[in-house]
Amino acid sequence: MRVALFILSLLLAAFLGGCASGSGGASSVTPGSRSPLLAEKLTQQAVAELDPTPPRKPDPAKAEQLLKDALAADLFHGPAHNNLGALYLEQGRLYEAASEFDWACKLMPGHPDPRLNLAMTLEHAGRVDEALDEYATALAVYPNHMPTLQAMTRCEIKHARRSDRTQAHLREIALAGETTEWRSWAQERLVLGGD
């Protein structure tokens, strides 16, 4: 019980610390001064800055600034938190990524993406059991979400944490995986007995 309370207090401290740093200085935004439309517009501009389609070259620094500006316009814009977290995750800034995904989870309670992203961040940080719990939460929010199902199953196999659901998930991915690569991967694991 003490360990659980200690972990909970650490997570709370991390969340509160992330609130101050993850908002890009927007913590003084009041509900009356929120601009959700501007936040959405800036978030879409940031997504465009990350588009690698020629002739464009992705500009992560500009995208990061646009996302921070979006959060200054509306601190409660979940997609901006989620996208900023994804940018941080790609840069290996795991603490900041987790903080942004935590915000996005709270602001987008019915959406699996922030939970999937948080799970991947936890997995990258070596917190495999917590990652598996977060993958399960994403599936509880959005059952059969294929990207989550794929990531969770890969995590279970990669880290030798197979469960009674792993084989069923492999069968589902083998039939309906997002790409040919995922379907082939699952088929090979089924032939090899899940390894």
Side-chain angles (χ1 to χ4, degrees), residues 21-100:
S21 65
S23 65
S27 59
S28 63
V29 174
T30 61
S33 68
R34 289 176 57 199
S35 180
L37 292 176
L38 178 58
E40 179 61 28
K41 179 182 175 187
L42 292 168
T43 300
Q44 292 304 320
Q45 289 175 2
V47 170
E49 286 300 326
L50 296 172
D51 183 4
T53 307
R56 295 190 68 111
K57 182 178 178 196
D59 189 345
K62 186 171 182 181
E64 181 177 350
Q65 187 58 55
L66 285 165
L67 291 167
K68 287 180 177 181
D69 291 346
L71 292 172
D74 183 4
L75 181 61
F76 305 106
H77 188 64
H81 284 288
N82 190 58
N83 290 337
L84 187 56
L87 192 60
Y88 289 156
L89 177 58
E90 189 171 306
Q91 295 170 353
R93 296 163 62 183
L94 302 181
Y95 180 81
E96 289 128 315
S99 177
E100 294 301 331

